[in-house]
Amino acid sequence: WNARAPLLGKPQVAEEERILPIAMYVNRRPLYFAQAVAALRKVRGVDKVAVLVVSMDAADADILQVAMSVDFAPLRVVFHPPRADLLRMEPVLAIKQHWMWLQTTVWEQLPET
C-alpha cells in the first residue's frame, strides 16, 4: 500500500524544481498535527517539496482529516506495518524503530523521492 497509494494534495512541481521531502510521524495528536500543518503552510517554498510524507501506526479519522487538508504540497500517507515486538518495546524504542522504518520507506521505496 505505502508505495502504491495515491499521491494526494497539490500536484508535484517539475523534478528540477523539487527540494527534499518532509517526513512526519504522527500519532494520536490531531491538534498538534493541525498546528504543524498550519505552520508548514506558511513556509516559503514549501510548495516545492518533493512530497510531504505522513506516517501513522494505524488509521485515525482525525489525523486523516488533517492530512487531507494539505493543499500546499504533494502528500503521501503511509502506515507503519504492525509488529508484535513493538508492543513489548519501551515507547521510546518503538518510536525510534518507527522513525528508522519511515526513513527507509522515504528514501528507498517511495517513487517521489
Side-chain angles (χ1 to χ4, degrees):
W1 155 264
N2 289 333
R4 294 183 305 271
L7 193 60
L8 307 169
K10 180 183 179 223
Q12 285 187 299
V13 296
E15 190 169 348
E16 62 274 2
E17 295 180 41
R18 288 184 208 153
I19 57 177
L20 293 174
I22 297 173
M24 300 177 75
Y25 172 31
V26 181
N27 188 25
R28 289 186 246 159
R29 293 186 177 179
L31 296 177
Y32 178 76
F33 180 42
Q35 290 175 342
V37 168
L40 280 173
R41 186 174 275 115
K42 296 175 185 175
V43 173
R44 183 178 38 198
V46 74
D47 59 327
K48 293 188 178 6
V49 298
V51 64
L52 171 60
V53 180
V54 174
S55 179
M56 300 187 294
D57 288 319
D60 178 293
D62 294 331
I63 297 289
L64 289 171
Q65 183 177 3
V66 175
M68 296 305 292
S69 75
V70 171
D71 58 359
F72 53 85
L75 170 72
R76 181 167 303 274
V77 176
V78 296
F79 295 97
H80 185 249
R83 289 180 28 191
D85 62 328
L86 290 179
L87 298 175
R88 294 187 302 270
M89 282 185 181
E90 291 292 325
V92 171
L93 294 176
I95 291 168
K96 180 179 178 182
Q97 197 286 329
H98 183 129
W99 185 250
M100 295 307 297
W101 170 86
L102 176 57
Q103 294 306 305
T104 301
T105 299
V106 167
W107 297 111
E108 296 177 9
Q109 297 176 7
L110 299 182
E112 303 82 35
T113 58

